[in-house]
Amino acid sequence: MHDPFEVRMQFLGLIRKLNASQQSIQKVVGFALKYFSRCGEDLWECIIEECQKGSINHRINILYFLDSLCETSLLAKAHQLPEQSSSSKQVNNALYVDYVSRDLTQIVECVVPVGRQGLPNLPSTKQILENWRTKRIIEPQKVDEVFSLLSSRDSAQDTISATAAPSAAKSEPHLSRGEIFKRIEEDRERHKRLRERRWVQAQPHTGPAVPSYSTFTLASFLPLSDTENAELALDIEFENEWDATSDWNEDDVEATAEERELCHPHLKRKGFTNDEDEGEQEMDIDLS
């Protein structure tokens, strides 16, 4: 297939059938990367058009597709041969990541439109933006600008909601019953995917290889040096453990005391004395 018009029409057919499943997302990602060198700009225009006129559910699917597309683009860039990267005449070195960074504000405004209609997509959008900022897929400064836009919109929305008439809310479009159930199923699929990605750790880049656009693994990292890769892997593992750990409480104190007695039975605890002037805890240490 070499005709740009035919490529465009086939890509539109794929993106209009896009859903929350990874099979559907990876199919569109593979197609977009395969024809990036010849039709990258045209395919990006198709993505923006569908993001502007699609349903609210379809727009969040496109945003998750862009999340996977950015990570796969970075992985493809990391596995390019030196000859390919040096001889490439493409101004866009990071494939579709540069497009996403350039039109980030426009994308978010389409996925999270003003009003109550965009509220269902707001939490997922913030989560993806935070992911891009943490993994440095998009420049943190640009992501911060979009977060500021969403925050100012929330403040304005609260003010309007407090003063608007009830009839104004009725004029906004609502999801049908079928769309609501479809959204529930797709959210369940996305949450399942997010739980799987929590265990994806950064791996060191072993060197150039021939890219294969059909079978990409997860790319939750940027190509870094060996030292940075080791530090990043430790940071991700620490953050996962830190998020899963609760705050220090009385149960932890009791558990620590019990473990200490098991490990060091010769240390016997004594409670505080009745004398208020004595504030230190006494211990009998058997040195025999």
Side-chain angles (χ1 to χ4, degrees):
M1 183 189 303
H2 301 286
D3 184 10
F5 178 77
E6 188 177 355
V7 173
R8 181 186 180 96
M9 295 306 298
Q10 185 168 351
F11 182 73
L12 283 174
L14 291 174
I15 201 170
R16 287 170 182 171
K17 297 177 182 178
L18 186 67
N19 55 50
S21 67
Q22 279 302 302
Q23 182 179 2
S24 173
I25 291 176
Q26 291 302 322
K27 185 176 182 180
V28 186
V29 168
F31 188 94
L33 289 175
K34 181 178 180 180
Y35 293 100
F36 173 80
S37 59
R38 297 195 296 268
C39 311
E41 187 71 33
D42 291 337
L43 298 183
W44 180 251
E45 291 178 359
C46 294
I47 295 173
I48 295 297
E49 291 175 4
E50 289 301 314
C51 196
Q52 290 174 342
K53 65 183 182 180
S55 65
I56 196 68
N57 288 345
H58 190 58
R59 295 178 191 182
I60 193 64
N61 287 336
I62 292 178
L63 186 61
Y64 275 95
F65 153 72
L66 291 178
D67 182 31
S68 181
L69 181 63
C70 287
E71 292 191 341
T72 311
S73 296
L74 292 174
L75 186 62
K77 176 187 175 183
H79 284 73
Q80 282 182 348
L81 293 174
E83 295 80 4
Q84 293 177 341
S85 58
S86 60
S87 62
S88 177
K89 297 182 180 180
Q90 287 287 342
V91 178
N92 193 329
N93 294 324
L95 303 178
Y96 291 96
V97 177
D98 290 343
Y99 289 144
V100 175
S101 179
R102 183 192 67 188
D103 301 331
L104 182 60
T105 302
Q106 181 182 3
I107 294 170
V108 173
E109 288 179 346
C110 292
V111 176
V112 188
V114 179
R116 297 176 60 87
Q117 181 187 6
L119 292 180
N121 291 347
L122 183 59
S124 297
T125 301
K126 288 184 176 180
Q127 192 173 28
I128 291 177
L129 290 174
E130 183 64 34
N131 177 63
W132 287 350
R133 178 170 61 182
T134 302
K135 298 178 180 177
R136 295 183 297 170
I137 294 176
I138 305 295
E139 293 181 8
Q141 182 179 0
K142 292 187 177 181
V143 179
D144 291 338
E145 292 175 359
V146 177
F147 270 120
S148 300
L149 174 65
L150 294 176
S151 299
S152 61
R153 182 188 296 181
D154 291 341
S155 301
Q157 183 65 29
D158 293 339
T159 304
I160 295 175
S161 300
T163 58
S167 58
K170 296 181 180 179
S171 61
E172 295 186 357
H174 295 281
L175 296 176
S176 64
R177 183 180 180 88
E179 290 176 334
I180 292 175
F181 282 112
K182 182 179 179 181
R183 178 59 181 265
I184 293 174
E185 292 297 327
E186 290 182 338
D187 285 343
R188 183 180 292 113
E189 178 69 22
R190 282 189 283 264
H191 293 162
K192 174 184 175 182
R193 178 67 173 171
L194 289 175
R195 287 195 299 269
E196 293 174 353
R197 291 178 63 178
R198 282 182 57 86
W199 297 102
V200 177
Q201 306 296 335
Q203 300 295 332
H205 177 50
T206 56
V210 178
S212 174
Y213 298 124
S214 59
T215 57
F216 277 111
T217 56
L218 283 174
S220 299
F221 56 94
L222 286 174
L224 306 173
S225 64
D226 293 340
T227 304
E228 290 175 319
N229 271 312
E231 294 177 354
L232 182 58
L234 292 176
D235 290 342
I236 296 176
E237 185 176 359
F238 175 81
E239 291 296 333
N240 288 341
E241 294 296 333
W242 182 266
D243 293 339
T245 304
S246 61
D247 296 333
W248 185 267
N249 51 42
E250 295 179 357
D251 294 336
D252 296 322
V253 175
E254 294 179 0
T256 303
E258 292 176 359
E259 291 180 0
R260 188 197 64 177
E261 291 180 0
L262 292 174
C263 295
H264 306 284
H266 56 281
L267 298 179
K268 298 181 180 179
R269 291 191 304 169
K270 282 188 177 181
F272 291 103
T273 59
N274 294 331
D275 188 1
E276 297 180 356
D277 295 335
E278 199 170 58
E280 296 183 356
Q281 187 176 358
E282 298 179 356
M283 290 186 182
D284 289 340
I285 301 179
D286 186 5
L287 300 178
S288 59

